[in-house]
Amino acid sequence: MKKIISIMAACALALSMSVTAFATEVKPDANGDPDPDSGNTAVSLNVDSGYIITIPETVELEEQSGAKTTYENDLTVSADAGVRINEGKSIVVSMASSSYDSGSFYMTAAGADQYKLAYEVTVDNSTIANNGTVATFVTSDAAQTSTLHFAADDPTYAGSYSDTVTFTIAVQ
């Protein structure tokens, strides 16, 4: 009877021993020691990029009186708070128009094929060329903006002038 109780006590003691769980299968060696006595577990996390870029659908140039009459207005391109992209990368917004010619953007009057009204786009007093960068945004918890200033001289002819610009967004 003492033998059975001793065996049961030894089994209970063996079962109550603390063994660290490993991703690797651990078995006892010939001496009863764990083999292997350590293991590795990979820890990982995958975080997707996230951002919202807002570009207004229209900008209406308004008459500005001064020494010379011009038509101007601002358009703000913005990135909402919480931009998250890969380290060392930035979101680059560029602008282009098929009407760009000889260093200027052009609007045409509705129904007019000949008369083109040149206009200029600047960001921080720098003139933007066709396919030029108008905004650069980086990972940030704060909202980010870039203000584009559109300006045209006083046109010779009356009419409703327009152009369409295309904004391209890329992570570079």
Side-chain angles (χ1 to χ4, degrees), residues 24-142:
T24 305
E25 189 174 296
V26 178
K27 295 181 180 181
D29 63 11
N31 297 326
D33 296 325
D35 182 30
D37 63 356
S38 66
N40 298 321
T41 299
V43 178
S44 64
L45 170 68
N46 184 26
V47 179
D48 292 332
S49 295
Y51 51 85
I52 297 174
I53 307 299
T54 303
I55 301 168
E57 288 184 37
T58 61
V59 59
E60 180 74 28
L61 304 188
E62 298 171 354
E63 185 175 350
Q64 306 292 312
S65 297
K68 175 175 137 181
T69 300
T70 59
Y71 289 81
E72 303 179 26
N73 210 339
D74 292 338
L75 176 142
T76 301
V77 175
S78 62
D80 287 359
V83 169
R84 179 180 292 163
I85 53 179
N86 292 347
E87 185 176 7
K89 300 285 186 176
S90 59
I91 299 168
V92 176
V93 181
S94 59
M95 186 186 89
S97 173
S98 61
S99 72
Y100 190 85
D101 185 30
S102 301
S104 293
F105 292 98
Y106 288 94
M107 291 183 275
T108 54
D113 291 330
Q114 301 298 315
Y115 187 70
K116 299 189 300 184
L117 177 62
Y119 68 96
E120 182 179 72
V121 180
T122 58
V123 174
D124 296 328
N125 295 319
S126 295
T127 301
I128 302 300
N130 207 30
N131 295 309
T133 298
V134 297
T136 302
F137 303 120
V138 296
T139 294
S140 176
D141 289 334

